[in-house]
């Protein structure tokens, strides 16, 4: 019985049960799905093959009685002189007197530990000792599990061993046609062999199958989330080309070809009743906002509402101000809805959204609150979408009668990953910068340069430019030397920049305060803005030309690139200066930044240096976690699993066929309430 509690297994008392429950394990089935992180090689080797510094396992018999000594710190040290039949070794361990008491001199033992070599010959600092005829955690490739404190590794291995006979009860989820086509072993075999692989090959097949399953469910769920949209029709937008052309004529610049292509993709998507589901991807500063503005205008001119959601209040406000300015001449109403509006104001805004008197609604997460209803929402734009989870995005889409969706991101994601995460989203890439942009010159510097950099900032301010200084924390913490916004700004105002206006902005300020400071920075009244990463995404002040980043070693590469993107947004030569106090690893990361301005390359490096987990934690997106598979290394499996999803949905799009019953149950469970079939 796979559903039975692990309490019924040998060795599980109340204490261990609690510890296992801490890991989310209560049943035999849970236990079987607790996969090892990796394997340690505890196969038995001859003594002569183990060198000093190695960890290994040998099979020994005693050559003399165990000697016991007491150390000054009241520990006992046991020494056992032993042979494997050819060579000799001294096994040493501390305390654990019972190992000596129970030692049977007529038996062979497997011992596993750290080998060293001294004048007296080979020694092993013991980790595990077992009688050879009763070995459970030696003489094999032993799985290593992610553990919690107090739960011994042996305990886990012994418990899982008892569960292995139950693998035959685990229902096979994948139809045999799929398993054959993609060369996958059975689920029971895979689970048994992920824990205790018979050999290298069975270990490979086991991992392959389980990684495939994870990637399969990940993509299946995403595909189903989007499928509801596929089946439905989107509002038809008429006269889009005329509307867009008129608008473009009012702009003070010419759109780049890449921008024009994105616009025409959007027009094509929305002209014949298909539902648009499009990602616009382009490096910071390439001009995505104006593309969104055109899409929103088209919606409004078709007597529909359009909404634009941004991850921060600063950014939402900025979009609001911009859209109002450029769209007002076309007789379009624009309104801002954020969490910081006063209750009375908010109610009025919500009312005007509901009765349709607002055409374009800009906001933060406040847009997806329960009390917000739209009259006829037909287009949803999500800016900097990587900041939102899957469910947040679909929550806004759920507000309308299946509105078109347009998501925008500056964080380039390798194509295959984009496919996994966004399913069958169409992609427009803006791979061209507006003309006349000068590359941001980037430097990594240390404290010795402090004076020169200060003078450099002054020089730029005297030429009429503005400066950002970004620090990692808000309040100085005595223990840390991190430059803290508040204190640092004060010092700067009183010393270096006493002739200029310094101000601060950070997430802990009230929204109205943030607004006020941002608008003073935009108007040029503030020369130096000391800030946390609240300015990281989207903020657009083209007159700012210097970005100084303190403790740059604290930031991820993609984050540094986003920060750098705050400058170089106008016609001026711009600079990004990173103060870095880190060692070699940090210096290498700085080098990536100074070597390239290409956000795509930087994202790839980020992925390599930090690993996919941190770069792209799936849990933050509301997706089932990957424990075996790895989005970065298993690209081939990603594709195969994606194909398998297509195979299945092509003939059974509601997962209603009996052979897909387990798949249906699994995927519903994994995505909880987000999915309906
Ligand atoms: P992002 O893609 O990072 O969101 P924005 O939309 O904020 O970039 O645009 C950055 C700046 O470039 C803005 O000041 C915008 O007005 C300007 N811009 C956008 N498109 C063009 C263009 N084709 N030519 C010149 N400037 C442009
Ligand atoms: Mg932007």
């Amino acid at each position: 019985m796979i559903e039975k509690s692990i309490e019924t297994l040998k060795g599980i008392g109340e204490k261990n049960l609690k510890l296992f429950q801490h890991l989310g394990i209560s049943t035999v089935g849970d236990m079987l799905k607790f996969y090892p992180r990796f394997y340690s090689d505890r196969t038995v080797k001859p003594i002569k093959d183990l060198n000093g510094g190695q960890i290994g396992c040998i099979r020994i018999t005693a050559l003399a009685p165990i000697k016991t000594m007491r150390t000054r710190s009241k520990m006992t040290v046991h020494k056992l002189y032993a042979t494997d039949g050819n060579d000799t070794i001294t096994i040493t361990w501390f305390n654990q007197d019972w190992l000596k008491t129970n030692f049977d001199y007529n038996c062979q033992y497997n011992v596993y530990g750290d080998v060293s070599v001294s004048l007296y010959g080979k020694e092993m600092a013991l980790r595990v000792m077992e009688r050879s005829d009763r070995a459970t955690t030696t003489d094999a490739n032993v799985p290593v599990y992610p553990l919690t404190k107090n739960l011994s590794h042996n305990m886990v291995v012994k418990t899982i061993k008892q569960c292995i006979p139950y693998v035959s009860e685990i229902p096979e989820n994948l139809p045999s046609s799929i398993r054959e086509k993609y060369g996958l072993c059975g689920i029971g075999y895979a689970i048994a062999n992920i824990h205790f692989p018979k050999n290298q090959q069975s270990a490979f097949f086991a991992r392959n199958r389980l990684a495939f399953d994870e990637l399969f469910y990940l993509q299946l769920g995403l595909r189903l989330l989007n499928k509801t949209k596929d089946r439905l029709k989107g509002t038809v937008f008429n006269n889009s080309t005329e509307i867009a052309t008129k608008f473009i004529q009012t702009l003070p610049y010419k759109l780049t070809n890449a921008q024009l292509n994105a616009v025409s993709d959007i027009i094509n998507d929305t002209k014949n009743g298909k539902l648009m589901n499009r990602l616009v991807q382009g490096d910071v500063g390439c001009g995505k906002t104006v593309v969104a503005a055109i899409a929103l205008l088209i919606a409004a001119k078709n007597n529909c509402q359009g909404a634009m959601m941004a991850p921060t209040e600063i950014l939402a406000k900025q979009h609001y101000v911009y859209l109002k300015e450029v769209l007002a001449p076309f007789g379009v109403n624009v309104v801002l809805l954020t969490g910081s509006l006063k209750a009375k104001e908010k109610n009025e805004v919500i009312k005007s959204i509901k009765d349709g008197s607002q055409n374009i609604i800009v906001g933060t997460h406040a847009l997806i609150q329960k009390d917000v209803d739209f009259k006829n929402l037909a287009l949803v734009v999500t800016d900097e979408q990587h900041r939102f989870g899957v469910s947040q995005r679909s929550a806004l889409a759920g507000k309308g009668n299946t509105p078109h969706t347009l998501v925008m991101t500056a964080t380039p994601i390798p194509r295959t990953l984009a496919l996994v995460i966004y399913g069958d989203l169409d992609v427009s890439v803006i791979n061209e910068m507006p003309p006349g942009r000068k590359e941001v010159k980037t430097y990594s510097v240390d404290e010795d340069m402090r004076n020169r950099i200060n003078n450099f900032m002054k020089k730029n301010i005297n030429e009429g430019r503005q400066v950002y200084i970004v620090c990692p924390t808000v309040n100085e913490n005595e223990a840390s030397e991190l430059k803290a916004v508040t204190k640092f700004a004060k010092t700067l105002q009183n010393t270096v920049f006493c002739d200029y206006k310094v101000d601060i902005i950070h997430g802990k300020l009230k929204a109205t305060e943030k607004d006020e400071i941002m608008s003073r920075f935009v108007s040029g009244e503030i020369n130096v803005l000391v800030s946390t990463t609240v300015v990281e995404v989207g903020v657009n002040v083209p007159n700012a030309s210097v970005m100084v980043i303190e403790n740059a070693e604290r930031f991820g590469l993609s984050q540094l690139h986003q920060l750098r993107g705050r400058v170089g947004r106008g016609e001026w030569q711009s600079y990004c200066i990173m103060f870095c106090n880190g060692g070699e690893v940090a210096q290498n990361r700085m080098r990536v930044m100074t070597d390239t301005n290409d956000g795509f390359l930087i994202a790839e490096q980020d992925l390599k240096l930090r690993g996919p987990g941190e770069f792209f934690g799936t849990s933050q997106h509301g997706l089932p976690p990957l424990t075996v598979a790895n989005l970065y290394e298993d690209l081939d499996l990603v594709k195969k699993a994606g194909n398998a999803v297509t195979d299945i949905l092509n003939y059974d799009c509601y997962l209603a066929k009996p052979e897909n019953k387990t798949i249906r149950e699994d995927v519903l469970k994994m995505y909880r309430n987000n999915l309906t079939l």
Side-chain angles (χ1 to χ4, degrees):
M1 272 290 291
I2 187 158
E3 292 300 332
K4 84 175 176 182
S5 165
I6 52 169
E7 253 176 314
T8 56
L9 301 174
K10 261 201 333 218
I12 306 274
E14 209 174 303
K15 185 172 139 250
N16 282 330
L17 181 67
K18 275 231 173 72
L19 291 170
F20 274 117
Q21 282 171 342
H22 227 77
L23 293 168
I25 301 166
S26 337
T27 68
V28 168
D30 298 337
M31 193 76 241
L32 284 169
K33 296 210 165 146
F34 186 63
Y35 302 140
R37 285 274 164 82
F38 53 91
Y39 304 91
S40 86
D41 179 2
R42 297 191 189 175
T43 53
V44 169
K45 304 219 160 63
I47 292 174
K48 72 170 166 32
D49 286 1
L50 289 177
N51 300 318
Q54 282 187 316
I55 302 172
C57 185
I58 50 182
R59 179 169 299 143
I60 51 107
T61 42
L63 287 170
I66 297 169
K67 270 195 221 160
T68 300
M69 287 148 282
R70 215 158 257 286
T71 66
R72 249 189 273 159
S73 48
K74 300 221 172 101
M75 299 223 285
T76 49
V77 189
H78 305 282
K79 284 187 183 277
L80 167 63
Y81 188 55
T83 179
D84 66 352
N86 292 313
D87 300 279
T88 59
I89 192 164
T90 306
I91 320 281
T92 310
W93 70 94
F94 290 93
N95 302 327
Q96 302 182 76
D97 297 343
W98 49 273
L99 280 178
K100 177 181 177 178
T101 326
N102 296 335
F103 196 85
D104 185 339
Y105 288 88
N106 298 314
C107 289
Q108 284 194 313
Y109 279 83
N110 295 347
V111 291
Y112 172 74
D114 306 61
V115 179
S116 60
V117 182
S118 75
L119 277 179
Y120 307 104
K122 275 189 185 164
E123 282 196 38
M124 174 183 275
L126 186 71
R127 293 191 183 197
V128 178
M129 174 150 74
E130 297 182 308
R131 256 175 66 171
S132 301
D133 56 343
R134 296 181 191 159
T136 57
T137 67
T138 56
D139 193 16
N141 274 311
V142 175
V144 179
Y145 296 91
L147 292 179
T148 53
K149 239 169 65 188
N150 301 329
L151 195 57
S152 84
H153 196 252
N154 275 359
M155 184 68 221
V156 176
V157 173
K158 282 179 183 160
T159 312
I160 294 181
K161 273 224 163 126
Q162 297 178 65
C163 297
I164 293 291
Y166 297 95
V167 291
S168 56
E169 292 177 24
I170 296 176
E172 176 57 63
N173 46 330
L174 296 181
S176 55
S177 57
I178 295 286
R179 276 192 289 133
E180 259 162 50
K181 181 165 173 190
Y182 297 98
L184 303 168
C185 67
I187 189 72
Y189 180 90
I191 291 179
N193 281 277
I194 196 85
H195 293 293
F196 306 106
K198 290 201 179 60
N199 51 45
Q200 292 258 314
Q201 206 187 12
S202 47
F204 171 82
F205 272 106
R207 187 197 174 275
N208 205 53
R209 165 66 204 261
L210 297 175
F212 183 96
D213 272 29
E214 286 184 350
L215 295 167
F216 173 83
Y217 283 115
L218 179 67
Q219 296 180 82
L220 177 65
L222 287 163
R223 212 76 77 77
L224 292 173
L225 278 175
N226 287 330
K227 197 183 62 173
T228 358
K229 295 182 206 159
D230 281 352
R231 272 186 264 140
L232 297 162
K233 293 192 162 49
T235 313
V236 178
F237 291 160
N238 292 313
N239 303 324
S240 303
T241 311
E242 292 74 22
I243 298 166
T245 312
K246 256 195 203 145
F247 175 82
I248 290 169
Q249 281 163 0
T250 67
L251 291 174
Y253 47 75
K254 269 180 71 178
L255 289 188
T256 62
N257 283 330
Q259 284 171 314
L260 288 171
N261 288 338
V263 170
S264 77
D265 286 343
I266 293 166
I267 292 175
N268 284 329
D269 286 351
T270 53
K271 74 177 175 202
N272 41 23
K274 213 183 95 186
L275 193 69
M276 174 169 74
N277 197 17
R278 181 167 291 278
L279 171 73
V280 175
Q281 178 177 306
D283 210 346
V284 283
C286 71
K288 294 182 290 291
T289 319
V290 66
V291 174
I294 295 172
L296 289 165
L297 178 63
I298 291 172
K301 284 283 143 197
N302 277 274
N303 298 317
C304 294
Q305 288 176 311
M308 181 162 183
M309 183 163 71
T312 65
E313 295 218 352
I314 293 180
L315 192 51
K317 177 74 188 290
Q318 181 185 293
H319 286 329
Y320 164 71
V321 170
Y322 170 76
L323 291 172
K324 207 173 149 101
E325 182 189 318
V326 296
L327 298 183
F330 295 86
V332 169
N333 290 329
V334 185
V335 73
L336 178 69
L337 179 64
T338 62
S340 64
L341 286 184
K342 294 210 189 66
K344 188 165 160 255
E345 258 178 307
K346 197 168 175 182
N347 286 336
E348 270 163 28
V349 171
I350 288 177
K351 200 168 138 253
S352 69
I353 295 173
K354 193 170 180 178
D355 69 20
S357 45
Q358 303 295 351
N359 307 116
I360 307 291
I361 301 94
V362 186
T364 53
H365 300 82
L367 288 181
I368 54 179
Q369 301 310 309
K370 264 208 304 292
D371 51 352
V372 183
D373 288 316
F374 294 81
K375 179 152 185 248
N376 53 358
L377 182 64
L379 170 68
V380 166
V381 182
T382 316
D383 192 21
E384 304 294 349
Q385 77 73 36
H386 61 285
R387 291 299 192 91
F388 295 102
V390 170
S391 52
Q392 283 173 322
R393 253 189 290 143
S394 45
L396 184 52
K399 292 276 183 191
N401 188 12
T402 62
H404 297 291
T405 54
L406 187 63
V407 297
M408 307 201 294
T409 184
T411 303
I413 298 146
R415 181 80 186 122
T416 348
L417 297 196
L419 268 175
V420 174
I421 302 302
Y422 306 120
D424 49 4
L425 220 62
D426 298 309
V427 183
S428 302
V429 179
I430 302 188
N431 53 1
E432 190 182 352
M433 285 290 165
R437 286 283 166 79
K438 298 192 180 70
E439 238 181 42
V440 178
K441 293 196 174 155
T442 306
Y443 305 93
S444 170
V445 299
D446 57 22
E447 281 306 313
D448 296 345
M449 296 284 284
R450 183 65 69 181
N451 268 333
R452 279 181 65 184
I453 301 299
N454 285 340
N455 289 332
F456 180 74
M457 286 192 267
K458 282 190 209 162
K459 177 174 156 269
N460 275 272
I461 298 170
N462 290 338
E463 286 168 5
R465 303 286 80 72
Q466 288 162 287
V467 175
Y468 292 101
I469 301 179
V470 172
C471 307
T473 54
V474 181
N475 288 309
E476 189 111 13
N477 159 349
E478 277 174 67
S480 106
E481 285 175 32
L482 300 181
K483 289 277 178 302
V485 171
T486 315
K487 193 170 159 198
F488 190 45
K490 232 176 232 156
T491 317
L492 289 174
Q493 178 71 86
N494 294 332
T495 56
V496 193
F497 295 121
C498 56
D499 295 333
Y500 305 94
K501 178 75 190 130
V502 179
D503 217 323
I504 57 170
I505 191 161
H506 54 75
K508 291 187 183 160
L509 292 176
K510 283 206 210 88
T512 47
E513 293 171 309
K514 280 189 250 178
D515 281 353
E516 192 242 352
I517 289 163
M518 271 327 281
S519 51
R520 283 198 291 131
F521 190 60
V522 170
S523 72
E525 195 187 312
I526 296 171
N527 307 109
V528 180
L529 187 62
V530 184
S531 137
T532 56
T533 51
V534 291
V535 298
E536 177 187 332
V537 287
V539 172
N540 186 37
V541 181
N543 191 51
S545 68
V546 183
M547 164 63 69
V548 173
I549 304 170
E550 300 287 340
N551 298 98
E553 71 281 358
R554 283 296 176 123
F555 298 94
L557 280 179
S558 294
Q559 213 178 3
L560 288 172
H561 183 64
Q562 277 279 353
L563 286 170
R564 171 165 64 184
R566 295 315 107 216
V567 296
R569 300 176 80 88
E571 62 205 274
W572 327 103
Q573 175 60 55
S574 297
Y575 305 88
C576 174
I577 295 156
M578 305 176 294
F579 277 97
C580 173
N581 299 317
E584 198 184 311
V585 178
Q587 297 296 343
N588 284 340
R589 289 177 41 222
M590 297 306 126
R591 200 157 313 126
V592 175
M593 290 295 296
T594 52
D595 282 355
T596 180
N597 260 297
D598 181 337
F600 206 92
L601 273 179
I602 288 172
E604 267 181 7
Q605 288 297 324
D606 208 15
L607 200 58
K608 277 201 187 122
L609 293 174
R610 281 199 296 163
E614 261 183 83
F615 178 82
F616 219 79
T618 47
S619 57
Q620 139 203 4
H621 291 254
L623 305 174
L626 301 176
T627 54
V628 184
N630 174 326
L631 283 180
Y632 187 58
E633 281 161 10
D634 293 321
L635 291 188
D636 191 45
L637 270 185
V638 168
K639 284 182 210 156
K640 283 187 181 153
N643 292 341
V645 169
T646 311
D647 294 344
I648 289 183
L649 291 180
N650 271 351
Y651 84 94
D652 186 15
C653 68
Y654 298 101
L655 299 175
K657 298 231 157 47
E659 67 267 36
N660 295 326
K661 179 168 166 273
T662 314
I663 295 181
R664 179 194 173 93
E665 283 165 7
D666 285 348
V667 78
L668 285 174
K669 198 156 59 181
M670 279 178 210
Y671 284 80
R672 299 217 173 76
N673 306 322
N674 293 328
L675 265 186
T676 44
L677 272 169

